[in-house]
Amino acid sequence: MAFLSIPLAPITPAEQRVLIHVGQGLSNKAIAATLVLSPRTVESHVSSLLAKTGCRSRTELLLWWLDTGDGSGDMLPSAGQADPRHPPA
């Protein structure tokens, strides 16, 4: 895979929330409804995540997320749960 082990820029909290929902298989429209955002804002976050990580698809993005975590292959946290791999600052 051609994704980066370290993102080009830090992943923002908003992007992380979107990524969690992408990991649950939700569409941009469903993510937007859940997070009370416009679908275009969600699309922008996903595009930003792809650019920052060097990924070319949502699937590759999820593989990147799992690969850059603790290596255990644990599933993404549920929406609303903190990701133990990336504690809040």
Side-chain angles (χ1 to χ4, degrees):
M1 304 252 166
F3 50 75
L4 305 171
S5 59
I6 299 173
L8 294 174
I11 304 300
T12 68
E15 290 166 344
Q16 187 173 3
R17 286 189 296 274
V18 168
L19 181 55
I20 289 167
H21 290 295
V22 168
Q24 295 173 338
L26 298 179
S27 67
N28 288 355
K29 185 176 179 181
I31 295 168
T34 301
L35 297 178
V36 191
L37 300 169
S38 76
R40 178 64 187 110
T41 298
V42 173
E43 182 181 319
S44 177
H45 287 316
V46 171
S47 294
S48 179
L49 285 162
L50 293 172
K52 287 178 179 182
T53 61
C55 296
R56 294 173 292 198
S57 68
R58 291 164 80 103
T59 301
E60 217 175 79
L61 183 61
L62 293 174
L63 291 173
W64 170 85
W65 178 270
L66 294 173
D67 187 58
T68 59
D70 61 9
S72 69
D74 290 340
M75 293 303 294
L76 294 171
S78 299
Q81 286 183 324
D83 184 347
R85 296 173 293 176
H86 303 282

